[in-house]
């Protein structure tokens, strides 16, 4: 077999020696984890976000996503996965001491719903910023409905060491290229390779092969789903219904054709989308009788409305949109967005998965990554759709440069290459956690029953359980364990203080607002249309 050093990155051995010498450090990651609050019967909670958790507008670690009921936990950035997971665990423990009889739903597909209006839209207060967040979510309801927005997942944010990019720039002979530009080009190469191979993550970590019938309130049963019990629909070979047409989807956005070939293409396409009206959205109205139904009638209300399994990111300043921050200072980190919650883990993700993701992303960075043609883009989309709907089907074959390959075959080849990257990363560790993560996950390639989707489906079938019944049982077990687990005094004191600080900050923001909401939005979108590109590189090629 061709080794990584021969086929993908010829200087990996040199990088390994430099890693051993401490010439570059560990990856850094933060975790965002969503989870619906539910009542004891497994129905979506109708209660307000608990004041005892702080103000969701301003709390840095405990907020909500679309719904008032959809908790979102955000960890700080850590160089050790275990530290990020420990902070995430403390956020759960802290919350459970303040949630009363409610539970945090541990599955990506929602709990029992009662139609569109049973998903309450998050309210962020009376400030202009808070009203904008609420109006944006009302626009999502107008465009796609609320039920889709009740789906939960894990977002995994990773930045690679600056010293590593400096070494790669030297090895590539790109010493004359500005570091900001070089880093962005390499991150976009990582993203393209991620999109070529994200089907592997969907297979290994997909955990949503079933859904409650209340998720489909019109009673229709889409092709590929079949009844299980009275209230459950299953897809026998599916890995992630969350990432299927049942989950996050936007047919209008498909015309954007973003395949991440360059920063300029990415930014300019998003800017076009937030500036271009869409007829159907115009017909639904923006401000009707003083009521804001959506922020605008454009293809995207704001950039965050663009759905993708991965995004380039840069922390934005107060007067920037996400794209303007990318234009001005380049890519800072990437956000992986295709991960289901693992319902068997109280955090939805564990250290083995984190170490694998780090290895996979480093492999994507170090591998050759040519631009993606329109034809290849279609093949990549087809592969993802196949794995989402039929990933555990032993007869499934994916397209790989015109050849049809099984997941076990192609995945095994990727794992062999990942092993060399794991060795590189483990030179920065006391043990071999990355290599051990690969070893722990490799059996899933040959045995789909070991995947989270396979385990969940096997539980439903072997116990003759409904989806709601099974997940509610897991939620009860996890709630009991998290409530009983201690939190360190310093961490609990910090979280207590953040509750009070966030409430005070929201009050201060509301008191300081003097501009009307209409003027606030007008100013925001006028600024959003401005280019912040500083480098000639950003003015160049686009796909």
């Amino acid at each position: 077999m061709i080794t990584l050093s021969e086929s993908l990155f010829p200087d990996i051995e040199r990088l390994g020696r430099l890693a051993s010498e401490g010439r570059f450090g560990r990856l850094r990651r933060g975790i965002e984890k969503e989870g619906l609050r539910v009542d004891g019967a497994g129905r979506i909670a109708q209660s307000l976000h608990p004041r005892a958790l702080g103000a969701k507008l301003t709390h840095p670690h405990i907020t909500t996503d679309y719904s008032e009921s959809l908790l979102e936990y955000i960890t700080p950035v850590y160089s050790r996965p275990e530290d990020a997971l420990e902070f995430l665990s403390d956020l759960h423990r802290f919350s459970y001491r303040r949630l009363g009889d409610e539970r945090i739903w541990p599955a990506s597909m929602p709990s029992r719903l009662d139609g569109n209006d049973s998903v309450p839209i998050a309210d962020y207060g009376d400030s202009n910023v808070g009203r904008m967040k609420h109006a944006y979510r009302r626009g999502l309801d107008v465009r796609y409905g609320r039920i889709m927005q009740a789906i939960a997942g894990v977002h995994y944010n990773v930045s690679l060491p600056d010293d590593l990019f400096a070494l790669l720039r030297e090895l590539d002979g790109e010493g004359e290229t500005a570091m900001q530009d070089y880093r962005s080009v390499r991150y976009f190469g990582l993203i393209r390779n991620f999109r070529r191979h994200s089907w592997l993550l969907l297979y290994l970590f997909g955990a949503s092969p079933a859904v409650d019938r209340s998720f489909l309130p019109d009673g229709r049963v889409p092709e590929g789903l079949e009844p299980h019990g009275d209230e459950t629909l299953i897809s026998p070979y599916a890995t992630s219904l969350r990432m299927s047409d049942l989950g996050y989807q936007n047919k209008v956005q498909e015309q954007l054709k973003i395949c991440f070939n360059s920063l300029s293409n990415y930014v300019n396409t998003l800017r076009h989308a937030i500036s271009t009206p869409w007829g159907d959205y115009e017909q639904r109205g923006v401000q009707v009788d003083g009521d804001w139904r959506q922020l605008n009638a454009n293809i995207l209300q704001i950039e965050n409305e663009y759905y993708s399994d991965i995004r380039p990111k840069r922390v934005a300043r107060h007067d920037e949109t996400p794209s303007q921050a990318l234009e001005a200072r380049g890519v800072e980190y990437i956000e992986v967005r295709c991960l289901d919650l693992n319902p068997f883990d109280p955090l939805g993700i564990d250290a083995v998965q984190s170490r694998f993701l780090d290895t996979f992303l480093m492999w994507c960075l170090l591998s050759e990554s040519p631009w993606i043609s329109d034809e290849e883009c279609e093949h990549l989309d087809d592969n993802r759709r196949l794995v989402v709907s039929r990933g555990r089907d032993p007869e499934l074959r994916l397209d790989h440069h015109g050849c049809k390959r099984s997941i076990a075959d192609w995945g095994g080849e990727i794992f062999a290459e990942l092993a060399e990257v794991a060795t590189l990363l483990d030179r920065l560790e006391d043990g071999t956690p990355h290599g051990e993560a690969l070893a722990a996950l490799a059996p899933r390639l040959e045995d789909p029953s070991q995947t989270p989707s396979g385990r969940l489906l096997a539980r439903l079938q072997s116990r003759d359980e409904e989806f709601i019944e099974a997940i509610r049982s897991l939620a009860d077990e996890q709630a009991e364990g998290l409530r009983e687990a201690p939190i360190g005094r310093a961490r609990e004191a910090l979280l207590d203080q953040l509750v009070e600080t966030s409430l005070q900050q929201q009050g201060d923001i509301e008191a300081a607002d003097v501009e009307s909401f209409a003027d606030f939005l007008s100013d925001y979108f006028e600024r959003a249309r401005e280019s912040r590109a500083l480098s000639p590189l950003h003015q160049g090629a686009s796909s």
Side-chain angles (χ1 to χ4, degrees), residues 125-136 287 290-295 513-525:
D126 296 328
S127 67
N128 284 329
V129 171
R131 291 183 66 190
M132 181 176 178
K133 290 171 75 71
H134 181 73
Y136 165 63
Q287 190 179 13
D291 183 31
W292 289 86
R293 294 184 178 177
Q294 49 187 336
L295 293 177
D513 272 350
V514 295
E515 189 178 26
S516 73
F517 183 54
D519 288 343
F520 172 83
L521 285 186
S522 177
D523 291 344
Y524 175 88
F525 287 115

Side-chain angles (χ1 to χ4, degrees), residues 435-539:
E436 291 166 11
L438 292 182
L441 295 172
R444 296 183 184 182
L445 295 175
E446 298 287 349
D447 184 2
S449 69
Q450 296 191 34
T451 63
S453 61
R455 290 179 61 198
L456 180 57
L457 197 59
R459 171 169 175 155
L460 297 181
Q461 294 173 329
S462 65
R463 302 187 186 188
D464 197 25
E465 279 183 307
E466 299 279 4
F467 172 72
I468 295 296
E469 179 185 4
I471 302 303
R472 185 175 60 196
S473 175
L474 290 170
D476 289 344
E477 295 171 12
Q478 293 167 10
E480 182 178 357
L482 288 164
R483 279 199 179 100
E484 294 178 354
I487 304 178
R489 289 184 179 180
R491 180 66 53 77
E492 187 159 26
L494 167 66
L495 295 176
D496 277 330
Q497 182 59 54
L498 286 174
V499 169
E500 298 305 317
T501 301
S502 65
L503 293 168
Q504 181 63 49
Q505 288 174 334
Q506 176 166 330
D508 292 344
I509 292 170
E510 292 173 349
D513 272 350
V514 295
E515 189 178 26
S516 73
F517 183 54
D519 288 343
F520 172 83
L521 285 186
S522 177
D523 291 344
Y524 175 88
F525 287 115
E526 183 177 354
R527 292 196 309 270
R529 288 189 288 270
E530 299 172 357
S531 173
R532 302 290 176 92
L534 301 178
S535 166
L537 178 68
H538 300 148
Q539 308 294 339

Side-chain angles (χ1 to χ4, degrees), residues 251-313:
K251 300 300 182 184
V252 176
Q253 291 184 25
E254 290 181 0
Q255 66 165 318
L256 298 180
K257 298 296 183 185
I258 297 178
C259 277
F260 300 93
N261 283 329
S262 69
L263 176 57
S264 62
N265 169 250
Y266 178 76
V267 169
N268 291 334
T269 304
L270 288 182
R271 182 168 291 125
H272 167 78
I274 65 172
S275 305
T276 303
W278 189 257
D280 184 44
Y281 300 157
E282 288 181 311
Q283 292 178 10
R284 302 183 191 194
V286 175
Q287 190 179 13
V288 180
D289 298 328
D291 183 31
W292 289 86
R293 294 184 178 177
Q294 49 187 336
L295 293 177
N296 54 54
N298 298 331
I299 295 172
L300 302 178
Q301 298 174 90
I302 57 176
E303 295 163 13
N304 287 347
E305 191 174 338
Y306 172 62
Y307 299 133
S308 176
D309 54 2
I310 189 170
R311 285 179 181 166
K313 299 292 288 285

Side-chain angles (χ1 to χ4, degrees), residues 193-475:
N193 276 334
F194 179 94
R195 290 183 62 78
R196 289 181 170 104
H197 304 98
S198 61
W199 59 266
L200 182 60
L201 303 185
L202 296 171
Y203 173 79
L204 292 173
F205 305 119
S208 51
V211 65
D212 188 66
R213 282 184 181 269
S214 65
F215 186 75
L216 304 168
D218 58 4
R220 65 184 177 89
V221 178
E223 183 179 357
L225 293 183
E226 57 188 51
H228 171 80
D230 296 328
E231 301 296 336
T232 301
L233 295 170
I234 64 172
S235 183
Y237 294 115
T239 60
S240 178
L241 294 180
R242 168 179 171 266
M243 295 297 292
S244 73
D245 288 344
L246 284 179
Y248 282 102
Q249 55 178 310
N250 185 335
K251 300 300 182 184
V252 176
Q253 291 184 25
E254 290 181 0
Q255 66 165 318
L256 298 180
K257 298 296 183 185
I258 297 178
C259 277
F260 300 93
N261 283 329
S262 69
L263 176 57
S264 62
N265 169 250
Y266 178 76
V267 169
N268 291 334
T269 304
L270 288 182
R271 182 168 291 125
H272 167 78
I274 65 172
S275 305
T276 303
W278 189 257
D280 184 44
Y281 300 157
E282 288 181 311
Q283 292 178 10
R284 302 183 191 194
V286 175
Q287 190 179 13
V288 180
D289 298 328
D291 183 31
W292 289 86
R293 294 184 178 177
Q294 49 187 336
L295 293 177
N296 54 54
N298 298 331
I299 295 172
L300 302 178
Q301 298 174 90
I302 57 176
E303 295 163 13
N304 287 347
E305 191 174 338
Y306 172 62
Y307 299 133
S308 176
D309 54 2
I310 189 170
R311 285 179 181 166
K313 299 292 288 285
R314 157 73 61 176
V315 175
R317 297 169 181 167
H318 75 280
D319 62 342
E320 293 177 322
T321 68
S323 288
Q324 287 171 332
L326 287 171
E327 277 187 312
R329 297 181 302 285
V331 183
E332 182 179 14
Y333 65 98
I334 54 95
E335 178 186 37
V336 175
R337 300 168 53 83
C338 63
L339 303 174
D340 285 357
L341 298 176
N342 182 350
F344 300 102
D345 190 289
L347 305 183
I349 183 174
D350 63 13
V352 168
Q353 183 174 351
S354 179
R355 296 286 186 178
F356 179 88
L357 291 169
D358 293 346
T359 306
F360 181 81
L361 292 170
M362 179 67 89
W363 174 72
C364 288
L365 177 81
L366 296 181
S367 303
E368 292 294 327
S369 185
W371 279 20
I372 297 175
S373 67
D374 290 344
E375 181 181 8
E376 183 184 6
C377 198
E378 292 179 3
H379 288 311
L380 303 184
D381 290 340
D382 288 341
N383 281 345
R384 284 191 292 272
R385 281 191 288 264
L386 285 170
V387 173
V388 159
S389 62
R390 296 177 47 213
R392 287 179 290 103
D393 184 348
E395 302 300 318
L396 177 66
R397 296 296 182 267
L398 304 180
D399 181 88
H400 185 207
H401 301 309
C403 299
K404 298 299 182 181
R405 303 187 66 180
S406 69
I407 284 178
D409 176 40
W410 192 0
E413 182 177 292
I414 293 172
F415 263 65
E417 296 173 351
L418 290 173
E420 296 196 46
V421 179
T423 299
L424 169 66
L425 293 175
D426 281 339
R427 296 192 187 190
L428 303 167
E429 307 287 344
D430 292 334
T432 57
H434 299 90
E436 291 166 11
L438 292 182
L441 295 172
R444 296 183 184 182
L445 295 175
E446 298 287 349
D447 184 2
S449 69
Q450 296 191 34
T451 63
S453 61
R455 290 179 61 198
L456 180 57
L457 197 59
R459 171 169 175 155
L460 297 181
Q461 294 173 329
S462 65
R463 302 187 186 188
D464 197 25
E465 279 183 307
E466 299 279 4
F467 172 72
I468 295 296
E469 179 185 4
I471 302 303
R472 185 175 60 196
S473 175
L474 290 170

Side-chain angles (χ1 to χ4, degrees), residues 44-289:
I44 185 172
Q46 300 300 303
S47 56
L48 296 176
H49 181 77
R51 183 178 175 86
L53 297 182
K56 51 189 174 291
L57 177 68
T58 50
H59 198 297
H61 304 301
I62 303 176
T63 182
T64 57
D65 196 89
Y66 173 83
S67 174
E68 189 77 5
S69 307
L70 187 55
L71 285 170
E72 181 175 9
Y73 295 132
I74 304 169
T75 75
V77 177
Y78 288 103
S79 59
R80 295 180 66 252
E82 292 78 8
D83 293 334
L85 292 168
E86 182 62 24
F87 194 98
L88 182 61
S89 182
D90 283 343
L91 292 176
H92 283 75
R93 295 166 185 155
F94 182 83
S95 298
Y96 263 122
R97 287 157 170 78
R98 291 154 181 82
L99 284 180
D101 293 332
E102 292 180 347
R103 304 285 188 267
I104 301 172
W105 194 247
S108 281
M109 300 309 284
S111 60
R112 183 67 49 77
L113 306 174
D114 187 18
N116 193 69
D117 291 345
S118 69
V119 182
I121 299 175
D123 186 342
Y124 295 90
D126 296 328
S127 67
N128 284 329
V129 171
R131 291 183 66 190
M132 181 176 178
K133 290 171 75 71
H134 181 73
Y136 165 63
R137 284 157 174 77
R138 293 197 67 184
L140 297 179
D141 179 19
V142 166
R143 296 169 178 221
Y144 324 115
R146 302 184 191 183
I147 287 179
M148 185 178 82
Q149 314 297 330
I151 297 171
V154 173
H155 295 172
Y156 194 75
N157 302 302
V158 175
S159 62
L160 291 103
D162 287 342
D163 290 347
L164 174 61
F165 283 111
L167 290 169
L168 292 175
R169 184 176 62 162
E170 176 186 337
L171 294 172
D172 283 346
E174 294 285 346
E176 299 300 315
T177 303
M179 178 54 71
Q180 168 181 316
D181 298 334
Y182 178 80
R183 183 189 299 112
S184 293
V185 168
R186 291 304 296 253
Y187 267 126
F188 268 80
L190 181 160
I191 291 170
R192 290 193 297 276
N193 276 334
F194 179 94
R195 290 183 62 78
R196 289 181 170 104
H197 304 98
S198 61
W199 59 266
L200 182 60
L201 303 185
L202 296 171
Y203 173 79
L204 292 173
F205 305 119
S208 51
V211 65
D212 188 66
R213 282 184 181 269
S214 65
F215 186 75
L216 304 168
D218 58 4
R220 65 184 177 89
V221 178
E223 183 179 357
L225 293 183
E226 57 188 51
H228 171 80
D230 296 328
E231 301 296 336
T232 301
L233 295 170
I234 64 172
S235 183
Y237 294 115
T239 60
S240 178
L241 294 180
R242 168 179 171 266
M243 295 297 292
S244 73
D245 288 344
L246 284 179
Y248 282 102
Q249 55 178 310
N250 185 335
K251 300 300 182 184
V252 176
Q253 291 184 25
E254 290 181 0
Q255 66 165 318
L256 298 180
K257 298 296 183 185
I258 297 178
C259 277
F260 300 93
N261 283 329
S262 69
L263 176 57
S264 62
N265 169 250
Y266 178 76
V267 169
N268 291 334
T269 304
L270 288 182
R271 182 168 291 125
H272 167 78
I274 65 172
S275 305
T276 303
W278 189 257
D280 184 44
Y281 300 157
E282 288 181 311
Q283 292 178 10
R284 302 183 191 194
V286 175
Q287 190 179 13
V288 180
D289 298 328

